[in-house]
């Protein structure tokens, strides 16, 4: 298993291009199952999760070609030849559940293994299933698989209010509703930019959708969808992650393709911590105002709140802040697994339930640490770049699921970081 060696160093200066969003691409790809005609996605990220979704779609009979070094994905699902999403692929990635709604909507039946993914809390899929049931799906959970059928071969429009916000369940229901008979109203829907991106792509395919980006999405089902070409929205989590690099190390970094509207709540917290973010013609420029950032409190919430996917990275910054910060995790109960690893590097963190209290120290120290999940891995790299001495981050396969060419992007700004094959 590969590991990453980081030597703590000074300021970072340079330019980092931000890729298309992993989480958007992972929901756009299954949208191919809704149509017989081709779907082309541009600005795709080059990540192992995208390769896993490719394998899953291919196992269902879709054609997926990776063009222009992976930046373009040409998908085509003339016919779904297999309606079973197998455990061996689904267990690798929770987003696999997103094939359920499209297959069921198009052909009236689907069998999908219950998913796996990052070990950050229980992460059930009950909301996905309840939304599909509201649209008439008959579901049976047997042997670790969801067996789903639409009576008469077609889902029907329904009004469904999510009891709490779920990104994935909103995506599954939205895709399914595009081909349902009649009108579907999704209330308390997720408002994440990835949902907006999916709705735009589906509209390009001929879907009738209104209200994406608000809590109520209305979908008028159509008989069939066509083909489309769609650019994947910028990855706001990759953006936020690299915005933290100059905040932690000093210097000034420009993030190409960065947009404030994608990271508003995060920028507000950065500003409070003493980090400048300015818009440029090409993206965003980030630098620290003083030598040490201020402690700030952070509460993770659904969009437009502070994203849970940036909590671990923000914690890395706050480990060396001046004062005491409290981070509250409201989305995933078990998402502080990076804390013990940061403590190995000299951080002072006390985790109690859904809260972590971080008392800033002058300097972190390099150590051997282990990546426990995707965002945790990159938080350790950020911390290591500002630490004294060398850090070895092991189990970096998590990192490759969500960050393309992380070493290259950071090296280009002067970071001492290298991958050790193992
Ligand atoms: C997506 C993102 C993930 C991000 C998360 C929250 C993808 C591929 N992943 O995950 O990176 O951290 O949004 O912004 O887009 N829940 C249930 N039942 C369900 C569904 C969810 O109880 O059926 C719970 C989850 O356990 C969690 C909360 O709802 O506590 C929010 O999860 P959700 O928004 O669904 O996250 P994902 O779509 O899995």
């Amino acid at each position: 298993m590969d590991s990453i060696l980081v030597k703590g160093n000074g300021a970072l200066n340079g330019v980092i291009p931000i890729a298309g969003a992993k989480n958007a691409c992972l929901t756009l790809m299954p949208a191919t199952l809704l149509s017989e005609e081709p779907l082309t996605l541009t600005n795709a990220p080059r990540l192992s999760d995208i390769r896993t979704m490719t394998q899953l779609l291919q196992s269902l009979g879709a054609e997926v070609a990776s063009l222009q070094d992976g930046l373009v994905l040409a998908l085509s699902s003339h016919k779904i030849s297999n309606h079973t999403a197998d455990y061996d692929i689904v267990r690798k990635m929770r987003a696999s559940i997103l094939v359920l709604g499209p297959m069921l909507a198009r052909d009236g039946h689907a069998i999908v293994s219950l998913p796996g993914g990052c070990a950050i809390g229980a992460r059930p899929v009950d909301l996905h299933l309840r939304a599909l049931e509201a649209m008439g799906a008959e579901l049976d959970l047997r042997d670790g698989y969801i067996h789903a059928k639409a009576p008469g071969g077609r889902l029907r429009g329904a009004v469904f209010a999510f009891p709490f916000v779920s990104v994935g369940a909103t995506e599954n229901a939205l895709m399914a509703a595009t081909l349902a008979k009649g009108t579907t109203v999704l209330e308390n829907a997720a408002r994440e930019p990835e949902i907006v991106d999916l709705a735009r792509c589906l509209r390009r395919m001929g879907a009738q959708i209104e209200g994406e980006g608000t809590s109520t999405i209305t979908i008028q089902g159509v008989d069939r969808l066509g083909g489309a070409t769609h650019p994947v929205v910028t990855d706001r989590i990759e953006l936020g992650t690299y915005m933290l690099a100059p905040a932690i190390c000093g210097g000034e970094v420009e993030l190409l393709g960065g947009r404030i509207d994608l990271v508003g709540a995060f920028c507000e917290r950065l500003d409070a911590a003493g980090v400048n973010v300015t818009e440029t013609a090409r993206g965003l420029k980030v630098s620290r105002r003083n030598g040490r950032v201020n402690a700030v409190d952070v509460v993770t919430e659904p969009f437009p709140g502070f994203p849970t996917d940036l909590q671990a990275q923000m914690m890395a910054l706050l480990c060396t802040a001046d004062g005491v910060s409290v981070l509250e995790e409201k989305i995933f109960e078990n998402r502080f697994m990076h804390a013990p690893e940061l403590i190995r590097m000299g951080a002072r963190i006390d985790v109690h339930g859904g809260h972590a209290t971080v008392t800033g120290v002058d300097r972190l120290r390099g150590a051997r640490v282990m990546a426990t999940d995707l965002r945790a891995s990159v938080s350790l790299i950020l911390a290591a770049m500002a630490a004294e001495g060398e850090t070895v981050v092991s189990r970096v396969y998590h990192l490759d699921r969500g960050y393309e060419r992380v070493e290259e992007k950071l090296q280009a700004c002067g970071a001492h970081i290298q991958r050790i094959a193992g």
Side-chain angles (χ1 to χ4, degrees):
M1 248 182 265
D2 288 2
S3 44
I4 289 208
L5 171 68
V6 182
K7 288 188 188 145
N9 65 307
L12 297 181
N13 287 288
V15 173
I16 299 182
I18 304 300
K22 167 182 87 82
N23 286 350
C25 202
L26 287 177
T27 184
L28 292 164
M29 292 173 75
T32 189
L33 298 172
L34 289 164
S35 171
E36 291 178 5
E37 289 176 37
L39 172 65
T40 304
L41 300 174
T42 59
N43 195 36
R46 280 78 58 96
L47 301 169
S48 66
D49 268 9
I50 301 300
R51 290 190 286 277
T52 304
M53 183 58 85
T54 298
Q55 277 173 17
L56 174 58
L57 292 172
Q58 286 170 337
S59 78
L60 304 175
E63 287 169 29
V64 186
S66 174
L67 311 172
Q68 293 182 30
D69 192 25
L71 274 177
V72 174
L73 295 171
L75 304 113
S76 170
S77 182
H78 182 63
K79 185 172 177 294
I80 302 174
S81 54
N82 164 34
H83 290 80
T84 301
D86 200 73
Y87 172 73
D88 279 339
I89 304 182
V90 174
R91 72 184 167 84
K92 293 188 196 159
M93 190 181 64
R94 183 181 158 78
S96 308
I97 187 76
L98 295 171
V99 301
L100 176 60
M103 275 204 286
L104 186 58
R106 174 154 158 205
D107 286 345
H109 60 106
I111 302 174
V112 177
S113 168
L114 287 161
C118 277
I120 48 171
R123 304 188 82 175
V125 291
D126 54 321
L127 295 188
H128 299 244
L129 303 186
R130 280 165 63 184
L132 294 173
E133 262 175 343
M135 287 184 236
E138 287 170 1
L139 304 173
D140 187 13
L141 269 81
R142 263 185 280 135
D143 313 321
Y145 280 81
I146 304 156
H147 296 250
K149 275 207 174 85
R154 191 166 178 193
L155 294 172
R156 51 169 201 270
V159 177
F160 183 76
F162 291 97
F164 53 91
V165 173
S166 161
V167 177
T170 301
E171 291 165 345
N172 233 337
L174 173 58
M175 288 192 278
T178 58
L179 290 179
K181 191 170 171 53
T183 307
T184 299
V185 182
L186 301 175
E187 292 170 355
N188 200 23
R191 291 182 278 165
E192 269 66 4
E194 293 76 22
I195 305 277
V196 174
D197 203 39
L198 173 63
R200 285 188 182 151
C201 176
L202 293 170
R203 211 181 283 121
R204 286 190 160 122
M205 294 167 71
Q208 294 189 20
I209 302 168
E210 275 172 30
E212 74 275 12
T214 75
S215 303
T216 305
I217 307 178
T218 306
I219 307 110
Q220 186 70 52
V222 295
D223 289 339
R224 58 179 296 282
L225 292 177
T229 297
H230 178 83
V232 180
V233 67
T234 298
D235 195 319
R236 63 197 166 96
I237 306 303
E238 190 195 24
L239 171 63
T241 300
Y242 289 127
M243 287 170 75
L244 283 166
I248 291 183
C249 298
E252 185 175 78
V253 174
E254 186 177 11
L255 296 313
L256 301 186
R259 281 168 30 198
I260 297 261
D261 63 306
L262 296 175
V263 280
F266 172 70
C267 284
E268 188 276 319
R269 291 289 75 196
L270 280 188
D271 183 54
V275 177
N276 284 334
V277 179
T278 49
E279 295 187 80
T280 68
R282 308 188 291 179
L284 300 176
K285 211 171 241 184
V286 180
S287 61
R288 199 163 71 183
R289 283 199 281 278
N290 301 309
R292 198 170 169 191
V293 297
N294 312 316
V296 291
D297 293 341
V298 172
V299 182
T300 64
E301 278 168 321
F303 193 85
F306 190 102
T308 173
D309 285 350
L310 285 173
Q311 178 260 109
Q313 301 89 312
M314 188 72 179
M315 187 186 281
L317 172 71
L318 297 175
C319 284
T320 53
D322 188 9
V324 179
S325 308
V326 177
L327 294 101
E328 184 180 356
E329 176 53 66
K330 292 225 282 203
I331 311 288
F332 295 113
E333 72 271 25
N334 193 18
R335 204 170 199 181
F336 287 125
M337 288 173 308
H338 42 284
E341 302 302 307
L342 290 168
I343 290 169
R344 292 170 61 76
M345 299 176 71
R348 286 181 58 198
I349 306 168
D350 180 25
V351 174
H352 36 100
H355 296 74
T357 303
V358 182
T359 305
V361 296
D362 277 345
R363 194 93 203 254
L364 294 175
R365 291 182 308 273
R368 292 188 72 89
V369 291
M370 198 172 76
T372 49
D373 67 56
L374 168 56
R375 308 302 171 186
S377 343
V378 82
S379 81
L380 298 173
I381 290 177
L382 288 171
M385 289 193 305
E388 208 171 293
E390 280 188 7
T391 297
V392 178
V393 185
S394 57
R395 293 213 184 168
V396 292
Y397 58 87
H398 290 291
L399 198 66
D400 300 326
R401 293 185 47 201
Y403 291 90
E404 78 171 38
R405 304 171 188 192
V406 66
E407 312 93 287
E408 277 175 43
K409 289 187 182 186
L410 290 169
Q411 276 162 4
C413 296
H416 298 157
I417 172 168
Q418 71 188 83
R419 185 176 290 251
I420 307 166

